[in-house]
Amino acid sequence: MLRRLRELRRYPTAIFGIGVISILVLVSLYALIALPYSEAIRLWRGGPGVWDDNPRNAMPAWFDLFTSANLPRTVIVSTADAGVKVVEPLPDGRNRIQITLPFDYPYDGFPTEVTLFSEAVYEGTTRPRLSVQWKNPSGETLSLATNRAMRASDIYYISQDGQLMAKFGTLPEVALFSDAAMGVPASQRTSAKGEYAVVVQADVPEGGDFNAKLVVYGRVHGLAGTDHRRRDITVALLWGTPLALVFGLLAAVGSTMTTFILAGIGTWFGGKTDFIFQRITQVNMVIPTLPILIMVGQFYSRSLWLMLGIIIAMSIFSGAMVTYRAMFLQAKEAAYIEAARAYGASNFRTVFRYLLPRIVPVLLPNFVTVVPAFVFLEASLAVLGLGDPILPTWGKVIHDAQTQSALYKGLYYWVLQPAILLMITGFAFAMVGFALDRVFNPRLRTV
Amino acid sequence: MKGNLLALTRYTLLRAVMLGFAVIVALYIVVLVVNMGGHLDTVRRGEIRQGVALAVTAVPENQLLPPSELSQIIERQTELAYRLYGLDRPFILRSFDYLITALSLSLGRSENLTSDSGSKQVRNILLERLPSTLVLFGTSSLILFFTSLFAALALSRRYGSWIDRAVVALAPTSSAPGWFYGIFLILIFAAVLRVLPWGGMVEAPPPKTTFGYAASLLRHMILPVAAMAAGGLLASIYARRTFFLIFSSEDYVDLAKAKGLSSRAIERRYILRPTLPTIITQFMFLIIGMWQGAVILESVFNWPGIGSLTILAVNLSDTPVILGVNVIYAYLLALSLFLLEFIYAIIDPRVRVGAGTQRRL
């Protein structure tokens, strides 16, 4: 057995496949350690403030490597870091707080959005008034807002400000980041690189405070980009790895081993047992698996583990049962089995010690080859919108992308990344399986 | 010859009875699954209540009654109707009613979905969708079967050539299902190159002429068929080629070669003949697999067949349609299995001879 496995070394595809599987296992371990379950769920399911600072539908940062342009990244500047805060008491007892948020913008192209978040602490019912000014690299100062009544936690969507849009005649974020004259259409503008600053000013009652954060959302983000809800896709891609591997392997082990053992038992005892097993197989082959899974997902639960259980249960009495049975029927006639009967081996011993091991050479490659089928089955369910409600999987990313028509909108990275990961995983197992098949089935080795 | 035919008929009938039994049991299981959580009952009760309410309010005298009294009448009548339709009986008895309606395809009315012709009968909705599914999957199954058969024969003749090695090396790519390649194909041909449609079955509005319709249909079929081929063709070529190679190393093939028979005759009589049963089995399993994969492939390509109907029904929680889809799939699967048995009986004489005693699936 081990000697045979060592023969795998002669197959470059097998080595490649094993290499890929090892990398996937390492990635899984990294995901489990670096992003513990609760953290991954928080980052994926969201909550207040989890995704606010991420751009929407941003491409992966590595996309930069393929373009000559330096695509905009997200710039975040707040009073907690580079912001400068000046407090000046007014004669009426209020404090005039002025915050300058300077930032460098060295990128080609325009940001996707510009938003100013501000947090104010104050007593009384009158809302403080906020004024916002924009300073561009050429030293001009533009007034964005004056006398904006500020909530305790205020979000000023600069890029959605209709007044600014009317004033500039184009999108605010385009006008603010270019130094072209008024009225030049957006397509003819280029970004002006250099030092920008936003000056925010508010008069806050005595004892109150006020902090601001400016987010200039970029066009690229992180290793894998973001989706329509500003989620970092990296989380799903990382966590999808262990989930896909565990799902595929458990399903393969569960179904293949059970089928194998039951086929052996059925064939050995023959008669009624065999007949019942065959009838169950036939019934099971008539039941459409996917619609049943869809119904379970729709009516009861979409838990990944419930699906796993049902998939295993439904693949025990499947086509593989027929194949194994044919092989066992042949193996049953072998002389050494008769010899075992002659010396008085029990049924149990004959089946598990003599009959089953005979077919292991067929089982092992089969086992490895069915793993991708289950990995893709999970992805299929997720693509149909029946993915686990909590866990982030590759299939769910593809589903989100499909429902948001990512391909139509040209957001190819969104579909391609999980798809390529699925493909790599599937191919790796298939390559190892095909090589194992050739190693273990001597008839195939010559051809 | 006559005895042969008799054996064939007896064998076929036996198989048909067994498969019919399997269909009944399978559908009963489906009914149980659908009803778990009382879904079928809820649907049935809703239907009855609606019918009763309509009937009661339609009576002119009732329309003058105060609403509370009216609802009391509806309540009472509904209870009576429940008893009339046997909804007060234990589920075990009712489950057989559901089974019979499912088997006879008289699947009742849908909750939300309507067919294009406006019917709410589940049967009409399903029958309207069935042809598109059959066109797509029938065509691609046939293409797949014959392409892989002839490609495999050709490869086994050119064993060791670069194209043979390429097929062996690329065979693992078939581990990904068709819909998966579908996404890539849409990306390449619809999104980037913009030469083929994104999905659907014909252009909108549908072409008026028969020829135009067929051309549009063919254009829309290219990508789904290609996707299915990408998901299954190479693996089946590989499996079949290996199979042919094993059989062409048999002694009787060498003997035939020594006799000087043409390679075509050898292929037909000594290689294809004994391998045919296995090939057919593999092919049927492929088709069965494709029926199942149809759900996603159709939804990826927006193909108006049974598969995309499944998704629609699931999204709208339309229980009667979901049950109907399962019934149709069960019938299609059983039909595939039956065809397999039948072809088996024709091409493999051993099956007929041992029809009574030999037990196979």
Side-chain angles (χ1 to χ4, degrees):
Chain A
M1 189 83 180
L2 274 176
R3 192 175 50 81
R4 287 275 180 80
L5 282 178
R6 246 177 253 129
E7 272 182 49
L8 272 183
R9 275 183 304 191
R10 286 199 278 127
Y11 295 90
T13 50
I15 294 172
F16 178 77
I18 291 173
V20 171
I21 295 171
S22 320
I23 292 172
L24 288 171
V25 170
L26 287 179
V27 170
S28 310
L29 289 177
Y30 172 77
L32 296 179
I33 294 165
L35 267 182
Y37 179 76
S38 55
E39 177 66 7
I41 298 304
R42 191 181 71 87
L43 285 176
W44 190 246
R45 303 275 290 157
V50 175
W51 309 319
D52 287 354
D53 294 347
N54 293 348
R56 210 183 277 277
N57 287 335
M59 282 187 286
W62 49 259
F63 195 76
D64 243 9
L65 301 174
F66 302 105
T67 57
S68 53
N70 184 13
L71 292 172
R73 270 152 235 262
T74 302
V75 180
I76 302 171
V77 53
S78 71
T79 25
D81 43 66
V84 183
K85 188 153 134 185
V86 180
V87 184
E88 182 194 328
L90 292 176
D92 62 359
R94 291 185 298 170
N95 283 331
R96 171 159 292 177
I97 301 181
Q98 191 185 56
I99 298 169
T100 311
L101 300 169
F103 65 95
D104 184 36
Y105 191 81
Y107 307 111
D108 301 305
F110 300 102
T112 47
E113 285 168 273
V114 185
T115 305
L116 180 73
F117 297 86
S118 35
E119 297 281 339
V121 185
Y122 57 87
E123 309 232 319
T125 49
T126 1
R127 289 180 180 176
R129 301 284 152 166
L130 186 75
S131 72
V132 184
Q133 284 178 320
W134 184 267
K135 287 185 175 168
N136 63 18
S138 52
E140 278 177 278
T141 304
L142 296 160
S143 174
L144 300 187
T146 47
N147 252 347
R148 178 184 162 87
M150 184 169 60
R151 292 187 193 86
S153 121
D154 191 71
I155 304 175
Y156 175 29
Y157 297 103
I158 297 174
S159 38
Q160 284 169 24
D161 188 329
Q163 284 177 355
L164 285 182
M165 218 176 289
K167 183 171 144 196
F168 294 135
T170 178
L171 294 170
E173 66 269 24
V174 173
L176 291 176
F177 280 90
S178 64
D179 43 15
M182 214 62 86
V184 177
S187 56
Q188 285 167 27
R189 290 174 183 242
T190 49
S191 65
K193 297 168 194 171
E195 290 292 331
Y196 287 83
V198 165
V199 181
V200 193
Q201 184 179 302
D203 296 340
V204 182
E206 177 96 73
D209 197 9
F210 161 58
N211 286 306
K213 176 173 81 174
L214 178 80
V215 183
V216 178
Y217 295 99
R219 293 190 176 272
V220 292
H221 183 90
L223 267 180
T226 56
D227 65 7
H228 61 302
R229 296 166 72 184
R230 305 178 189 277
R231 282 188 293 201
D232 191 341
I233 297 176
T234 319
V235 176
L237 295 188
L238 266 182
W239 256 80
T241 319
L243 291 174
L245 289 184
V246 165
F247 191 91
L249 285 171
L250 280 183
V253 170
S255 63
T256 322
M257 286 306 289
T258 325
T259 310
F260 174 65
I261 292 172
L262 287 181
I265 292 174
T267 326
W268 178 249
F269 289 103
K272 264 186 205 141
T273 325
D274 193 33
F275 181 78
I276 291 169
F277 282 1
Q278 281 196 70
R279 293 286 79 75
I280 297 178
T281 309
Q282 208 170 31
V283 168
N284 191 44
M285 283 173 82
V286 174
I287 297 180
T289 316
L290 203 57
I292 289 276
L293 288 172
I294 291 173
M295 283 198 297
V296 170
Q298 186 64 22
F299 295 153
Y300 316 120
S301 152
R302 293 179 185 184
S303 150
L304 194 67
W305 312 117
L306 177 76
M307 290 289 177
L308 179 67
I310 294 172
I311 288 170
I312 292 178
M314 291 194 72
S315 37
I316 290 174
F317 290 97
S318 61
M321 190 69 144
V322 187
T323 325
Y324 290 149
R325 184 174 170 273
M327 289 173 188
F328 279 124
L329 276 178
Q330 250 174 14
K332 199 179 159 186
E333 306 300 324
Y336 74 98
I337 301 256
E338 208 173 318
R341 300 299 293 163
Y343 85 70
S346 67
N347 279 331
F348 184 82
R349 189 178 163 84
T350 326
V351 171
F352 282 90
R353 190 76 189 80
Y354 299 111
L355 191 63
L356 293 186
R358 171 113 174 173
I359 311 294
V360 166
V362 185
L363 176 79
L364 204 62
N366 269 9
F367 162 72
V368 180
T369 327
V370 296
V371 173
F374 291 115
V375 172
F376 277 108
L377 184 57
E378 189 276 322
S380 310
L381 285 173
V383 169
L384 292 180
L386 297 168
D388 192 279
I390 298 164
L391 298 168
T393 64
W394 295 336
K396 277 175 78 179
V397 178
I398 299 183
H399 172 68
D400 288 342
Q402 289 282 68
T403 48
Q404 297 293 318
S405 334
L407 289 183
Y408 196 75
K409 292 179 188 159
L411 306 168
Y412 302 147
Y413 69 94
W414 198 355
V415 181
L416 282 181
Q417 294 180 111
I420 286 172
L421 280 174
L422 272 170
M423 198 158 82
I424 289 175
T425 312
F427 288 2
F429 279 102
M431 281 172 167
V432 176
F434 275 61
L436 276 174
D437 206 19
R438 291 160 76 105
V439 168
F440 279 104
N441 297 326
R443 280 189 101 178
L444 292 177
R445 217 173 321 162
T446 50
V447 294
Chain B
M1 187 62 211
K2 205 175 165 201
N4 219 347
L5 201 66
L6 196 72
L8 183 65
T9 320
R10 209 180 56 198
Y11 171 83
T12 314
L13 279 178
L14 193 72
R15 292 289 133 190
V17 168
M18 285 218 179
L19 269 170
F21 171 75
V23 170
I24 293 171
V25 176
L27 281 183
Y28 191 66
I29 293 173
V30 169
V31 165
L32 291 184
V33 173
V34 177
N35 192 60
M36 227 182 287
H39 278 276
L40 283 177
D41 284 347
T42 322
V43 172
R44 195 96 181 85
R45 278 173 205 274
E47 241 174 58
I48 293 172
R49 176 177 291 273
Q50 196 185 7
V52 168
L54 276 176
V56 170
T57 41
V59 178
E61 296 93 85
N62 286 351
Q63 282 168 0
L64 302 170
L65 293 173
S68 61
E69 218 166 299
L70 193 65
S71 67
Q72 258 180 10
I73 296 176
I74 293 176
E75 211 51 49
R76 223 176 314 128
Q77 298 259 23
T78 313
E79 281 307 316
L80 285 174
Y82 284 169
R83 212 173 302 161
L84 177 69
Y85 290 111
L87 277 170
D88 54 343
R89 287 181 300 158
F91 177 72
I92 197 79
L93 287 176
R94 272 178 292 122
S95 65
F96 290 106
D97 292 350
Y98 291 129
L99 177 65
I100 289 163
T101 53
L103 280 172
S104 61
L105 281 175
S106 62
L107 297 153
R109 291 165 68 81
S110 69
E111 282 172 49
N112 305 303
L113 283 162
T114 48
S115 72
D116 290 344
S117 56
S119 167
K120 283 203 95 168
Q121 291 288 331
V122 175
R123 191 213 306 248
N124 293 348
I125 298 177
L126 287 172
L127 288 182
E128 197 175 72
R129 297 251 181 171
L130 193 58
S132 18
T133 295
L134 288 180
V135 163
L136 180 60
F137 287 86
T139 319
S140 44
S141 306
L142 286 179
I143 292 179
L144 223 60
F145 179 65
F146 287 107
T147 318
S148 65
L149 194 64
F150 291 115
L153 271 179
L155 280 188
S156 66
R157 243 180 274 140
R158 291 185 192 78
Y159 165 64
S161 64
W162 68 269
I163 187 157
D164 181 52
R165 285 208 302 272
V167 168
V168 174
L170 288 176
T173 55
S174 292
S175 61
W179 65 263
F180 184 76
Y181 287 107
I183 292 180
F184 282 92
L185 289 174
I186 291 177
L187 178 96
I188 296 169
F189 291 100
V192 177
L193 298 177
R194 299 196 179 268
V195 287
L196 287 169
W198 291 83
M201 199 165 110
V202 284
E203 280 149 33
K208 291 276 185 295
T209 58
T210 320
F211 181 76
Y213 193 89
S216 175
L217 179 67
L218 277 180
R219 228 168 86 76
H220 283 78
M221 269 172 70
I222 296 175
L223 285 187
V225 171
M228 269 186 270
L233 190 62
L234 282 181
S236 37
I237 293 180
Y238 170 77
R240 230 148 275 167
R241 153 214 175 265
T242 312
F243 210 66
F244 289 148
L245 281 175
I246 290 172
F247 270 80
S248 46
S249 60
E250 294 282 350
D251 292 341
Y252 55 79
V253 177
D254 286 336
L255 180 70
K257 272 185 203 151
K259 280 202 290 188
L261 286 177
S262 72
S263 65
R264 204 153 289 273
I266 294 177
E267 267 170 15
R268 209 175 48 237
R269 276 187 237 157
Y270 299 102
I271 300 178
L272 220 43
R273 194 88 208 249
T275 50
L276 214 48
T278 322
I279 289 171
I280 303 266
T281 316
Q282 284 171 353
F283 176 64
M284 272 314 187
F285 282 137
L286 185 81
I287 292 191
I288 289 169
M290 279 205 306
W291 285 132
Q292 317 256 5
V295 180
I296 310 170
L297 195 88
E298 282 184 6
S299 77
V300 166
F301 281 101
N302 206 7
W303 191 268
I306 300 278
S308 42
L309 179 70
T310 316
I311 314 286
L312 256 176
V314 164
N315 288 342
L316 294 171
S317 296
D318 203 321
T319 319
V321 180
I322 297 177
L323 180 60
V325 166
N326 274 286
V327 175
I328 288 277
Y329 272 123
Y331 274 130
L332 284 177
L333 289 172
L335 198 69
S336 310
L337 285 174
F338 177 72
L339 269 179
L340 170 66
E341 299 280 1
F342 187 68
I343 298 170
Y344 237 104
I346 290 174
I347 58 176
D348 191 349
R350 284 172 301 179
V351 174
R352 270 174 312 203
V353 175
T357 50
Q358 192 185 9
R359 267 202 311 271
R360 298 177 326 101
L361 181 86

